[in-house]
Amino acid sequence: MTSSVTRYLLRIEYDGGPFVGWQRQDDQESVQGCLEDAAEKLNGSPVDVFGAGRTDAGVHATGQAAHINVRSDIPARKIADALNFHLRPAPIAVLAAEPVHPEFHSRFAATKRHYRYRIVSRRADLALDVGRVWRVPVKLNVEAMAKAASYLIGRHDFSTFRDAQCQAKSPVRTLDHLSIEGDSETISVTCSALSFLHRQVRSIVGSLVEVGRGQQTPEWMGEILAARDRKACGPVAPAAGLYLEQVDYPEVALKEGIHHAEN
């Protein structure tokens, strides 16, 4: 890297519904592709956008993170506004742009990722949240779901909750936080970890809902985790209810570009 460019950490919000996912694809619209096209118009030359994680088609974000390199003569205060101008009318917004160390990497410097999954438990169809939540047409037992979730917290082999196409080298992950909150109609599943396997969160949520529906006991969650077998997993929850809410970085990573393991 030369002194002619500055690296920025972007905080990004998007509606994943219209996109094939985060990752750029030549023949279909992606979040990364839209951001790179906007950044190229701002920069005057092609720009690579490196995300903290690859969300699937239909998955949303309120706090995705990514980094870019753009010309140093562009004022920092104009980066977010200019990107947003060039992104319109795509449902993507750059919430903030922060100058960071030249060696900072949005994926490898992350220390934790936070996801939320939204469920609406009701018989009536959705009028306002179509494509943004999972409507389950029966009442769910939140207490049973919370008990089931307790079996997954900590460091485990999550092969049961790992998509067959997952490219991670190991199925072992440390789930730092997993909680279920809500009432008889609106439920949120929140989870945090350094990194997740492909479709791990949606696989977990789908199995939790089986417990909430009374189709399985809370103890079943521990049993299928121990099985380490994808065939033991419950149905995978739809993409529409999942949100990447936040990606954490230590201040030293922003200033010195340090990286972390298990990404």
Side-chain angles (χ1 to χ4, degrees):
M1 182 183 303
T2 68
S3 59
S4 61
V5 298
T6 299
R7 181 161 295 190
Y8 286 88
L9 168 63
L10 308 179
R11 302 288 187 172
I12 307 159
E13 174 184 277
Y14 52 84
D15 176 354
F19 302 107
V20 294
W22 167 268
Q23 190 171 8
R24 182 169 198 137
Q25 297 186 29
D26 292 336
D27 57 344
Q28 298 182 76
E29 193 167 53
S30 68
V31 179
Q32 182 185 31
C34 287
L35 284 164
E36 288 183 344
D37 290 346
E40 180 174 356
K41 292 173 183 175
L42 164 67
N43 193 57
S45 60
V47 175
D48 291 325
V49 175
F50 297 89
R54 298 174 180 176
T55 52
D56 289 334
V59 175
H60 314 295
T62 56
Q64 169 71 289
H67 75 263
I68 61 172
N69 295 334
V70 296
R71 298 193 331 263
S72 295
D73 63 338
I74 303 173
R77 69 181 186 279
K78 293 186 177 181
I79 298 295
D81 286 347
L83 287 172
N84 287 328
F85 174 81
H86 292 300
L87 281 166
R88 297 180 184 124
I92 305 171
V94 176
L95 306 177
E98 174 186 0
V100 290
H101 189 274
E103 299 303 321
F104 169 85
H105 197 289
S106 60
R107 177 185 174 193
F108 298 116
T111 55
K112 196 166 291 186
R113 294 162 174 85
H114 306 269
Y115 283 89
R116 180 180 302 272
Y117 196 98
R118 297 176 58 206
I119 301 169
V120 171
S121 173
R122 76 182 197 192
R123 287 182 60 83
D125 290 340
L126 299 170
L128 300 178
D129 282 328
V130 177
R132 290 182 172 82
V133 300
W134 179 15
R135 181 183 70 88
V136 178
V138 298
K139 296 301 180 184
L140 299 177
N141 185 330
V142 176
E143 291 184 1
M145 293 171 68
K147 183 176 180 181
S150 67
Y151 288 94
L152 303 183
I153 298 172
R155 188 168 182 81
H156 304 286
D157 181 329
F158 282 98
S159 292
T160 298
F161 304 98
R162 179 186 191 183
D163 186 83
Q165 303 302 316
C166 181
Q167 298 179 358
K169 295 180 180 179
S170 170
V172 176
R173 289 293 184 272
T174 302
L175 191 57
D176 298 308
H177 172 84
L178 177 62
S179 66
I180 294 88
E181 299 175 348
D183 50 33
S184 61
E185 184 169 304
T186 304
I187 299 168
S188 287
V189 180
T190 58
C191 52
S192 303
L194 170 59
S195 62
F196 291 88
L197 301 168
H198 187 208
R199 292 187 180 165
Q200 181 181 352
V201 177
R202 289 168 57 195
S203 298
I204 288 172
V205 171
S207 294
L208 287 172
V209 167
E210 288 296 283
V211 174
R213 288 163 53 93
Q215 300 299 306
Q216 301 290 347
T217 66
E219 292 74 22
W220 171 75
M221 190 65 74
E223 294 168 4
I224 65 173
L225 173 67
R228 302 177 184 176
D229 183 355
R230 180 64 177 173
K231 295 177 182 177
C233 186
V236 177
L242 184 59
Y243 296 74
L244 174 54
E245 284 201 319
Q246 184 175 317
V247 182
D248 294 346
Y249 300 100
E251 195 65 27
V252 65
L254 304 178
K255 295 179 178 179
E256 300 181 14
I258 62 171
H259 294 172
H260 300 276
E262 202 182 272
N263 275 303

